[in-house]
Amino acid sequence: MRQNDKNFNVFIIESEKELMWNRAKNWMGLGKHSEYVKNYYGDANIRASVYMSVVVIILETWMILRTLIKYVILSDESRDFHWIITHFYSYCLLLAGGVVMLVFAVRYLKGKTENRLTGLVLIILLSAICLWFGMYISSVSYATGGQILTFLTMEIFVCTLLVWRPYISFLLLSGTFIAFYSMALKARGEFLEGDLINYFCYFIAALMVSFSFYHQRMKEATKAESLEAMNKHLEKIAVEDDITGIKNMNYFVEKTGELLKQEAERLSEKIFLYLDIENFKSYNDQYGFERGCDFLIQVAKKIDTVFADSVVTRQSDDHFLVYTERAGARERIETIRNYVRNYQDEVNLGLKVGGYIPVSGEIDPRLAGDKARYACGLIKKMYDKDYKEYDEQVDEKFHKKQYIVNTIDKAVENGYIKVFYQPVVWSKDGELCGCEALARWIDPKYGFLSPGDFIPVLEEQRQIHKLDTCIFETVCRDIRENLDAGNKVVPVSLNFSRLDFELMDAVGILDGFVQKYNISKDYLHVEVTESALVDDLGVLDRAINSLREKGYAIWLDDFGSGYSSLNSLKDYSFDVMKIDMKFLANFNQNDKSGIIIDSIINMAGKIGMRTLAEGVETEEQSEFLLSIGCERLQGYLYGKPMKIEELKEKIAAGEYHISDVVL
Ligand code: C2E
Ligand code: MG
Ligand code: MG
């Protein structure tokens, strides 16, 4: 313990010593300067040398004129010829030095030369001339009983106007003060005691002032350096993508915006490309976040290199945007695609690309990028296609999509959104045991829109909750009206989007309608599509539990349509499994379909789930499903989705018989 204390003290003492030594070094200006600080001092000295040389030029011109007029023209005989010549030459030398220095400094400051070293040499030369001049003139003067002011003026001039490192100031001042002391002593034979005291005080004062100048400037320089570093950093992050280091979307929008204007005449030769790495998500899942990021960085660099003469950005996630020349673009894409495929191991990687050729008058890079993205989205799950260009047909779809996004609020408000009901029957007797509520959009401009047109768009744009809220309320209201009319009512299943649970308090909202219309929860089934469960979101988990606690039946929609069907069975519990219609799609041609459906129904029974088959279109399918114990059936064989009025009419006409057992 003691030993440790001792060691600790030694360590402290040593580091304190080091600290003090470093402080002393810095105080004397012996520390290392960063490149920025060096340049800062160099520039400041060259700027100061302008004043220095102007003062020298004015002074020496005045002295030359004075000497010429007084001693040559007016023939003042108070000075001998030797005095006049030596002084005249000194003045001329200083004047020449001042002029050269001034010319250089002005050229440097105007940016006509960048040679800072020459500047430094000139400053040293001019300073040396000044000091030599001061010493010479004052020693001559002191010898004849005069003063030493010229020397002192030159000292202060050289040491305070320019900023030297303290140890240089010290050497310069000590050297010149000692040199002048011996020169003056030799010239006059004595150095008066009073003069010597003042002389020494002057030396100390000049030294301190030059030290203080240095440290003051050092503070300014380091402050300016950190400000500049901060600015550079800010400039960099303002235009740089934080993950990949290539340019970010802000830069892309600004730069491409300028180019669209500059290249307005030849926009047909340009193209916006949207690059989407296929299966990047699986790569991330398989190899982890860090490797995923690294892969993204490498691909970004590759795109940046292959399109070095173009504008490239990472738009989001694994999506990149490029604005480039049309000529040769496809070949470049191919290079990138091959690069991406090289990373392929257990995960199947690919590259989907959408292209959009800007039209004349195009000014919005974001919209152009969106169009390229839209074209790319159209080939998303098409394994035989990896490039799609935005054409007239796509344009129509794109505008429809824009329209849907922009009109959803109005559509809800104005009643364009309708609920169609599709019957669900018991397999054993064909009696009606429920309905599925399916959204339809009857639009004044586009006419009849099916969910395939608007559901994916609303989900992508995170607006789906608006539609679902409308459907939930309409269904609850319809049930209430039916009950009020004294009709027999069957439960209705509602389709929930995964995003409903993220974008709104879906459970609370549904509960609100149930209370508002005072209906039993037994009349509602919540359908959660299997693909919603792929992303393991805590939100979804909590919502499903809460719905269950509140007493709603939860149905698993489209079972078997995704990749992790069995996982969803393991992780969540559902009341009813809706078997995806794709199992029945080629029921006649494929012997295996029946075996698979049979096994699914068997398994569902074992884990306590009831079953419903979707997409039943033929009697043969219906009989088969009954034979293997599938409880509920839904499909065109029993009726397409229809308006509530039509359903009521059919019930009234006896086409559907409502079962006494509906749960
Ligand atoms: P889903 O929930 O699986 O709905 C069943 C779909 O299959 C419906 O298509 C229905 O018309 C169709 N269908 C039913 N029987 C047959 C058949 O025998 N043969 C064929 N070929 N098709 C049949 P729809 O109405 O176009 O809905 C498509 C999907 O859109 C729905 O699939 C559901 O996921 C979604 N959806 C529909 N309405 C809503 C809604 O209000 N909210 C949300 N979030 N999604 C909805
Ligand atoms: Mg459904
Ligand atoms: Mg379904």
Side-chain angles (χ1 to χ4, degrees):
M1 184 72 181
R2 253 180 158 198
Q3 183 68 31
N4 280 349
D5 284 355
K6 230 171 144 189
N7 287 345
F8 192 55
N9 281 339
V10 169
F11 174 72
I12 296 237
I13 289 164
E14 268 179 6
S15 68
E16 256 179 16
K17 256 189 193 167
E18 238 171 64
L19 201 76
M20 276 170 64
W21 166 236
N22 281 339
R23 270 195 195 150
K25 245 170 65 180
N26 286 339
W27 195 70
M28 283 305 290
L30 285 161
K32 213 167 174 279
H33 284 177
S34 69
E35 205 52 35
Y36 183 91
V37 172
K38 262 190 221 163
N39 295 344
Y40 190 90
Y41 274 104
D43 286 356
N45 273 353
I46 293 179
R47 234 176 288 125
S49 71
V50 173
Y51 305 107
M52 184 167 147
S53 42
V54 167
V55 172
V56 167
I57 291 168
I58 294 172
L59 256 174
E60 299 322 309
T61 311
W62 158 244
M63 293 307 284
I64 289 168
L65 289 175
R66 186 174 166 270
T67 311
L68 281 177
I69 294 165
K70 197 171 174 190
Y71 303 112
V72 180
I73 299 173
L74 300 178
S75 306
D76 182 339
E77 285 176 2
S78 60
R79 301 288 186 195
D80 63 13
F81 183 68
H82 176 74
W83 187 97
I84 297 169
I85 290 298
T86 49
H87 277 64
F88 189 76
Y89 278 147
S90 305
Y91 300 148
C92 287
L93 185 63
L94 259 176
L95 178 65
V99 170
V100 172
M101 184 76 245
L102 182 65
V103 170
F104 175 84
V106 170
R107 279 172 56 79
Y108 180 87
L109 295 175
K110 280 193 169 173
K112 289 189 178 155
T113 171
E114 285 181 359
N115 197 341
R116 199 180 288 113
L117 189 66
T118 310
L120 186 68
V121 171
L122 284 177
I123 288 173
I124 291 172
L125 272 177
L126 186 63
S127 303
I129 295 170
C130 287
L131 290 174
W132 168 82
F133 174 77
M135 285 199 265
Y136 174 73
I137 300 288
S138 288
S139 64
V140 171
S141 193
Y142 197 65
T144 54
Q147 41 68 38
I148 58 170
L149 269 178
T150 313
F151 169 67
L152 296 180
T153 309
M154 285 303 156
E155 282 290 343
I156 205 84
F157 191 59
V158 168
C159 276
T160 57
L161 191 57
L162 297 167
V163 178
W164 307 100
R165 286 183 183 237
Y167 76 92
I168 296 180
S169 299
F170 177 74
L171 292 176
L172 199 67
L173 283 165
S174 317
T176 48
F177 267 72
I178 291 170
F180 179 70
Y181 175 75
S182 44
M183 272 171 85
L185 191 66
K186 199 171 155 200
R188 187 163 164 167
E190 63 171 344
F191 207 101
L192 299 180
E193 200 185 328
D195 284 351
L196 193 59
I197 293 169
N198 287 334
Y199 188 70
F200 186 67
C201 289
Y202 196 95
F203 164 75
I204 298 290
L207 197 61
M208 290 302 111
V209 169
S210 67
F211 274 31
S212 129
F213 274 16
Y214 168 83
H215 288 292
Q216 185 61 29
R217 180 133 321 152
M218 187 65 170
K219 253 189 194 164
E220 288 165 17
T222 41
K223 198 169 162 189
E225 185 179 24
S226 59
L227 272 178
E228 180 157 311
M230 180 74 82
N231 273 344
K232 272 196 184 143
H233 177 68
L234 287 176
E235 271 169 26
K236 206 173 143 202
I237 60 170
V239 297
E240 200 175 81
D241 174 47
D242 48 355
I243 291 191
T244 60
I246 64 169
K247 292 285 186 284
N248 67 12
M249 199 54 192
N250 286 345
Y251 175 85
F252 183 84
V253 170
E254 201 166 304
K255 183 76 193 164
T256 316
E258 284 166 18
L259 290 175
L260 284 175
K261 279 186 214 149
Q262 283 166 23
E263 297 172 341
E265 300 302 315
R266 48 180 292 267
L267 287 185
S268 58
E269 294 165 29
K270 311 289 296 190
I271 193 161
F272 281 86
L273 298 172
Y274 180 87
L275 287 73
D276 180 0
I277 303 172
E278 254 183 316
N279 286 333
F280 173 71
K281 201 175 168 299
S282 313
Y283 186 91
N284 234 354
D285 291 345
Q286 175 89 5
Y287 300 113
F289 182 74
E290 217 167 287
R291 241 178 103 176
C293 273
D294 191 54
F295 170 55
L296 216 51
I297 293 169
Q298 299 313 321
V299 175
K301 278 190 188 153
K302 186 72 187 174
I303 300 174
D304 215 23
T305 327
V306 171
F307 287 100
D309 54 352
S310 320
V311 196
V312 177
T313 186
R314 187 172 75 102
Q315 197 236 21
S316 63
D317 310 320
D318 55 321
H319 310 138
F320 297 86
L321 266 176
V322 178
Y323 174 70
T324 188
E325 295 291 333
R326 258 171 93 186
R330 296 293 290 272
E331 290 77 12
R332 296 200 212 186
I333 291 171
E334 216 42 54
T335 312
I336 297 163
R337 183 168 288 126
N338 289 335
Y339 182 80
V340 169
R341 282 193 188 137
N342 276 343
Y343 273 81
Q344 196 153 288
D345 195 356
E346 282 154 58
V347 178
N348 214 2
L349 291 167
L351 186 72
K352 296 265 184 207
V353 180
Y356 170 68
I357 301 157
V359 292
S360 95
E362 191 92 50
I363 47 160
D364 185 353
R366 279 185 199 275
L367 186 62
D370 263 2
K371 288 182 176 175
R373 178 164 69 120
Y374 187 71
C376 182
L378 294 178
I379 49 164
K380 201 156 184 110
K381 293 226 163 79
M382 300 184 182
Y383 297 102
D384 54 336
K385 291 206 173 95
D386 49 24
Y387 180 81
K388 173 84 189 159
E389 213 154 88
Y390 191 94
D391 54 21
E392 255 176 56
Q393 260 183 336
V394 179
D395 190 54
E396 213 181 296
K397 279 191 190 164
F398 182 76
H399 281 111
K400 201 184 208 180
K401 174 190 158 182
Q402 300 278 83
Y403 177 82
I404 287 167
V405 177
N406 295 333
T407 324
I408 177 67
D409 291 317
K410 198 169 149 197
V412 168
E413 231 171 79
N414 293 0
Y416 305 164
I417 307 293
K418 306 276 182 213
V419 178
F420 275 42
Y421 293 92
Q422 186 177 28
V424 176
V425 300
W426 289 122
S427 61
K428 62 177 187 323
D429 55 16
E431 289 194 339
L432 192 70
C433 61
C435 284
E436 176 168 11
L438 293 157
R440 299 290 180 265
W441 181 321
I442 319 279
D443 190 76
K445 182 173 170 194
Y446 283 100
F448 185 90
L449 295 173
S450 62
D453 293 319
F454 55 86
I455 301 274
V457 175
L458 292 176
E459 285 190 335
E460 188 198 296
Q461 300 295 319
R462 301 174 73 84
Q463 305 281 311
I464 187 73
H465 58 298
K466 295 179 178 169
L467 174 110
D468 282 341
T469 308
C470 169
I471 301 288
F472 298 168
E473 176 151 28
T474 313
V475 167
C476 291
R477 196 188 313 121
D478 284 349
I479 293 175
R480 178 78 261 153
E481 280 172 13
N482 253 319
L483 288 170
D484 289 348
N487 295 333
K488 242 178 152 184
V489 171
V490 288
V492 177
S493 23
L494 300 167
N495 286 289
F496 274 65
S497 163
R498 179 179 66 85
L499 285 170
D500 286 339
F501 301 109
E502 262 183 64
L503 298 169
M504 63 179 181
D505 171 19
V507 183
I509 285 176
L510 183 65
D511 245 7
F513 292 139
V514 165
Q515 277 163 26
K516 181 176 171 188
Y517 294 100
N518 190 24
I519 56 172
S520 159
K521 285 170 189 165
D522 292 340
Y523 287 131
L524 299 173
H525 303 143
V526 171
E527 277 192 21
V528 181
T529 179
E530 182 202 278
S531 56
L533 307 166
V534 175
D535 290 328
D536 180 30
L537 291 172
V539 189
L540 191 64
D541 219 6
R542 280 194 296 278
I544 291 180
N545 287 337
S546 152
L547 283 165
R548 182 164 292 289
E549 275 165 26
K550 284 178 190 286
Y552 293 98
I554 320 253
W555 289 19
L556 174 61
D557 201 2
D558 305 330
F559 177 79
S561 61
Y563 297 110
S564 51
S565 308
L566 297 176
N567 269 343
S568 54
L569 294 183
K570 181 169 64 64
D571 299 335
Y572 302 86
S573 60
F574 298 94
D575 299 285
V576 173
M577 171 197 287
K578 291 187 80 172
I579 300 159
D580 195 71
M581 66 183 79
K582 84 167 179 217
F583 290 107
L584 283 181
N586 50 4
F587 181 74
N588 282 338
Q589 301 98 37
N590 193 335
D591 297 343
K592 291 180 195 156
S593 292
I595 302 170
I596 294 171
I597 300 172
D598 189 12
S599 320
I600 293 174
I601 290 180
N602 231 316
M603 173 187 64
K606 282 186 186 149
I607 56 174
M609 280 171 87
R610 301 173 76 177
T611 48
L612 183 159
E614 293 182 287
V616 184
E617 293 182 350
T618 64
E619 286 291 349
E620 194 193 349
Q621 291 170 347
S622 149
E623 276 161 24
F624 169 73
L625 289 162
L626 171 68
S627 74
I628 58 168
C630 179
E631 271 188 342
R632 291 173 166 94
L633 306 175
Q634 178 184 350
Y636 291 170
L637 182 64
Y638 308 101
K640 291 192 169 178
M642 60 192 100
K643 288 183 182 163
I644 187 152
E645 295 78 18
E646 194 184 334
L647 183 65
K648 279 187 196 164
E649 276 167 23
K650 288 191 169 169
I651 292 170
E655 224 176 287
Y656 295 112
H657 184 260
I658 299 180
S659 171
D660 293 327
V661 189
V662 287
L663 294 176

